[in-house]
Amino acid sequence: MPDTLLKVRNLNAWYGESYILHDLNFDVHRGEVVTLLGRNGAGKTTTLKTIMGMLKQHTGSVTFAEKEMLNLTSDEVARSGIVLCPEERGIFSSLSVEENLLLPPVLQAGGMTIHEIYELFPILKERAASRGTHLSGGEQQMLAIARILRTGATLLLLDEPTEGLAPVIIEQIGSILSEIKKRGFTILLVEQNFYFASSIADRHYVIEEGHVIDEIKNTELEQNTEKLKNYLGI
Amino acid sequence: MAELLGMPPQLFFGQLLLGLINGAFYAMLSLGLAIIFGMLQIVNFAHGATYMVGAFGAWMLMNYLGIGFWPALILTPLIVALLGVILERLVLKHLYDLDHLYGMLATFGLALIIEGLFRQAYGISGLPYEIPTQLQGGTNLGFMFLPNYRAFVVLMSIILCFGTWYLIERTKMGMYLRATTENRELVRAFGIKVPRLITATFALGVGLAAFAGVMAAPIYQVNPLMGNNLIIVIFAVVVIGGMGSILGATLAGYLVGLVEGLTKAYYPEASSTVVFILMIIVLIVRPSGLFGKEQ
């Protein structure tokens, strides 16, 4: 029996009048990298935000380490051990690179130290005193990932970390995520770039119109390539 | 040195000093207003009333409890900050998700209620408050006579503005404040108790206004309308400095005070409008204010 860290059951969510998630179900096991694949507007980002407690209108259940997360505020979810790296990266322009790194408080033991983070991301050490938004897009993405590793959260929610980046940077981010995975973090990754996703993930869920339409193991990816291309419209 | 820029030096420096004193108060008040706007996204029309309550706080402590200026300088901002916490929890927190207009109207209404209550109780003729004995008298600088208390006000204002700048730009609490001003949702999702941070910021802002009020009590008369007269100028100061900029609010405070003082010396008729002329010029040349970020 795998150790299920995150269990999403019959999750429904709304943005005002629009009904985004329809009875969503999936699991993430401890130590896994799981991706949510799907076209634009399928509800991937909404899923992450709902897990994180950032949306107010929802029904169903999200349990993390056996504890119900739905109806908690986002700061309470964070203190339970989940942290989000948002799609727009959320680098603060009024904070230096180092302040951006130190902003998310350490909420549990077991996170990486600032020293370990600088070892993994040497560029951030070089640019520690710069304004956060003076970094290049790729550097900002690294900063956005780096700063959530300190918090001690065990589940990382990464929202399209490769969006808008050059292939060489995407490759770097891929190897960083593999390194993070080796250190025992569990990752729920939202991606549109399924080549990138297939390079690091264990399993993929395909989401369409707010529900899971398929689950594909990374090892069975090859025989399912055509199906997947069809789902994603590529 | 019989004349300086076409007028007797005593008059010139006298007006400059007056401008500097007013500027010291503008800076202390616009600072709090800028911090509150940054965090709560509320244009706090009750800020002038808070300043007035600060002055009355000092007067009441003195006249009802016999507590002098120095303890009042600490006690009054603390009491007013506490009242601010209650106000924020009871009223303002319901306004954050609404249009700015609601915050403006609510705080405007609060200002009217607070000022009305004090008017009812104390009239509008103004109450005297003594300069503390240690700061009575003045120093002859040769070219002008500098009252000690006024020098103290300028000094305290500079210390207070620098302290607030330091708190916001150089401390961990300030880092949280800056980040929350930019992206409240994300800061909260990192596990920081943002609502508590917002309450604390409001308390800090109104505490600063109350501190300015206590400092003002010995200079201006303690009057229920003293904040009302000031608030519009303070808004102009914040606009000139750049909405949300701490440094801008502080420097624009002194700038506006000095410009006002000099106008009083050269062309007194324009002294109460010059602030708004300055504001219009700044808005034409730099719409986001002298130190504001371009949107």
Side-chain angles (χ1 to χ4, degrees):
Chain A
M1 260 305 272
D3 177 7
T4 306
L5 189 59
L6 182 78
K7 237 183 256 181
V8 174
R9 291 291 176 272
N10 303 320
L11 186 63
N12 293 275
W14 293 260
Y15 265 122
E17 296 280 291
S18 24
Y19 184 13
I20 311 286
L21 302 183
H22 306 250
D23 279 325
L24 199 71
N25 290 286
F26 67 89
D27 292 325
V28 179
H29 309 309
R30 201 178 288 273
E32 257 191 327
V33 175
V34 171
T35 62
L36 303 179
L37 296 168
R39 300 183 194 206
N40 264 337
K44 306 181 301 284
T45 297
T46 306
T47 306
L48 296 192
K49 286 195 165 168
T50 311
I51 294 170
M52 203 62 231
M54 294 166 88
L55 290 189
K56 289 200 178 96
Q57 297 167 279
H58 41 58
T59 63
S61 156
V62 172
T63 54
F64 172 73
E66 316 281 313
K67 202 175 132 200
E68 181 61 51
M69 292 288 118
L70 226 49
N71 300 323
L72 295 188
T73 57
S74 59
D75 54 312
E76 291 166 335
V77 173
R79 283 195 292 278
S80 309
I82 308 180
V83 70
L84 170 74
C85 175
E87 187 177 4
E88 69 285 355
R89 296 178 192 136
I91 301 302
F92 296 93
S93 64
S94 59
L95 271 61
S96 69
V97 168
E98 184 162 69
E99 284 181 320
N100 266 286
L101 264 179
L102 297 176
L103 178 76
V106 175
L107 300 168
Q108 287 176 354
M112 287 168 67
T113 64
I114 192 86
H115 183 72
E116 288 172 310
I117 287 174
Y118 278 146
E119 234 165 63
L120 196 57
F121 302 88
I123 183 72
L124 298 181
K125 188 174 187 180
E126 274 170 44
R127 314 233 19 207
S130 312
R131 293 265 139 199
T133 41
H134 288 178
L135 298 181
S136 72
E139 289 164 351
Q140 288 191 30
Q141 187 59 61
M142 302 217 185
L143 176 55
I145 296 172
R147 70 176 168 193
I148 62 175
L149 302 176
R150 261 182 77 247
T151 60
T154 42
L155 176 61
L156 314 180
L157 310 181
L158 306 182
D159 198 348
E160 300 213 24
T162 64
E163 197 187 12
L165 299 179
V168 55
I169 308 280
I170 294 180
E171 212 171 286
Q172 276 182 38
I173 287 178
S175 60
I176 284 166
L177 292 188
S178 308
E179 172 63 29
I180 291 169
K181 184 186 177 188
K182 262 187 235 151
R183 289 176 187 249
F185 286 99
T186 307
I187 299 173
L188 177 58
L189 178 71
V190 158
E191 258 310 328
Q192 297 213 45
N193 180 342
F194 106 94
Y195 298 102
F196 172 76
S198 65
S199 70
I200 51 166
D202 300 297
R203 287 185 301 126
H204 311 274
Y205 286 101
V206 182
I207 297 189
E208 203 170 281
E209 290 179 352
H211 49 257
V212 173
I213 55 165
D214 208 346
E215 179 193 344
I216 301 169
K217 289 201 173 77
N218 205 45
T219 48
E220 297 163 2
L221 202 60
E222 244 166 71
Q223 50 270 48
N224 288 298
T225 309
E226 279 314 303
K227 197 165 67 172
L228 198 55
K229 281 188 172 169
N230 194 24
Y231 287 144
L232 301 175
I234 47 177
Chain B
M1 200 165 66
E3 281 208 343
L4 191 77
L5 301 173
M7 73 173 57
Q10 277 81 359
L11 180 61
F12 179 81
F13 285 114
Q15 292 301 347
L16 210 60
L17 176 67
L18 198 69
L20 194 62
I21 301 288
N22 285 335
F25 284 106
Y26 294 160
M28 284 190 276
L29 287 170
S30 57
L31 190 63
L33 205 62
I35 294 172
I36 291 172
F37 178 75
M39 267 305 252
L40 286 75
Q41 298 289 302
I42 279 182
V43 178
N44 182 20
F45 259 94
H47 210 62
T50 315
Y51 160 80
M52 177 274 290
V53 172
F56 263 98
W59 185 89
M60 288 161 141
L61 286 175
M62 174 72 90
N63 286 278
Y64 299 150
L65 300 170
I67 294 173
F69 176 82
W70 298 105
L73 196 54
I74 308 292
L75 278 176
T76 313
L78 288 178
I79 296 166
V80 173
L82 197 67
L83 294 174
V85 168
I86 296 168
L87 189 67
E88 194 272 339
R89 288 288 85 194
L90 285 181
V91 182
L92 300 182
K93 76 162 182 184
H94 302 292
L95 306 171
Y96 299 148
D97 296 330
L98 303 174
D99 193 89
H100 286 324
L101 199 58
Y102 289 90
M104 229 156 82
L105 288 173
T107 52
F108 187 57
L110 280 168
L112 290 178
I113 292 170
I114 297 167
E115 280 167 359
L117 288 172
F118 277 86
R119 247 172 113 157
Q120 179 73 16
Y122 297 98
I124 51 163
S125 52
L127 303 163
Y129 189 90
E130 286 261 316
I131 291 176
T133 46
Q134 297 89 336
L135 294 172
Q136 280 173 4
T139 314
N140 195 343
L141 300 177
F143 57 90
M144 69 175 291
F145 182 78
L146 177 67
N148 288 342
Y149 184 76
R150 297 190 175 217
F152 168 76
V153 165
V154 174
L155 186 71
M156 283 306 279
S157 162
I158 291 170
I159 292 173
L160 199 70
C161 292
F162 178 78
T164 310
W165 173 85
Y166 187 88
L167 174 76
I168 289 177
E169 293 296 329
R170 291 285 180 273
T171 66
K172 195 165 182 178
M173 158 96 174
M175 177 173 95
Y176 288 152
L177 289 187
R178 276 177 286 141
T180 306
T181 300
E182 272 189 61
N183 189 342
R184 183 188 307 193
E185 296 280 293
L186 185 59
V187 171
R188 186 161 194 195
F190 283 148
I192 294 162
K193 289 174 180 156
V194 168
R196 207 173 283 182
L197 202 59
I198 289 176
T199 308
T201 308
F202 188 70
L204 173 69
V206 297
L208 284 172
F211 188 89
V214 179
M215 300 277 287
I219 294 189
Y220 310 110
Q221 293 237 316
V222 178
N223 185 318
L225 295 180
M226 63 195 282
N228 193 335
N229 302 333
L230 216 56
I231 189 75
I232 300 300
V233 176
I234 300 300
F235 277 122
V237 168
V238 172
V239 171
I240 291 169
M243 275 306 227
S245 163
I246 305 299
L247 185 69
T250 308
L251 294 182
Y254 287 103
L255 176 74
V256 164
L258 289 174
V259 168
E260 237 181 18
L262 288 178
T263 313
K264 246 178 218 151
Y266 286 99
Y267 191 64
E269 293 84 348
S271 63
S272 54
T273 26
V274 69
V275 180
F276 303 102
I277 296 170
L278 188 64
M279 180 178 88
I280 290 167
I281 295 171
V282 168
L283 283 179
I284 291 171
V285 182
R286 272 187 71 93
S288 50
L290 294 178
F291 293 85
K293 287 188 199 84
E294 303 282 340
Q295 292 291 325

